[in-house]
Amino acid sequence: VDFMRLVVPESLQGQRVDKILAVLLPQYSRSQLTQWLKAGFITSNHGLLKPKEHLLKDSLLDLNISQIEASLPIQKAIAQD
């Protein structure tokens, strides 16, 4: 299983985890990040997280990349002539 670990920076201390993730992972929508939180694909050093949970600086966020990638829609290649 592949994991990515993020550390909450001091500038985001006290923010909700969904907002923190939206800043750290801007390529994903907040609704997508919230779905992953609810599914348990993103956890912290404190265990499972709720999207509205507030985190302190230096909290660790672990993303289960295998589960996240499996949940993404498969993009179909468009054949070009």
Side-chain angles (χ1 to χ4, degrees), residues 11-47:
S11 62
L12 297 174
Q13 175 172 279
Q15 296 291 318
R16 291 172 26 168
V17 68
D18 60 342
K19 291 183 180 182
I20 291 169
L21 288 167
V23 171
L24 297 178
L25 300 168
Q27 67 270 37
Y28 300 109
S29 70
R30 220 158 108 193
S31 64
Q32 181 67 66
L33 294 165
T34 297
Q35 288 177 9
W36 292 338
L37 282 165
K38 290 179 179 178
F41 299 168
I42 302 172
T43 58
S44 79
N45 48 323
H46 306 292

Side-chain angles (χ1 to χ4, degrees), residues 2-4 6 21 25 41-42 61-65 68:
D2 296 323
F3 284 91
M4 175 192 296
L6 302 173
L21 288 167
L25 300 168
F41 299 168
I42 302 172
L61 297 169
D62 290 321
L63 290 75
N64 185 320
I65 301 302
I68 288 172

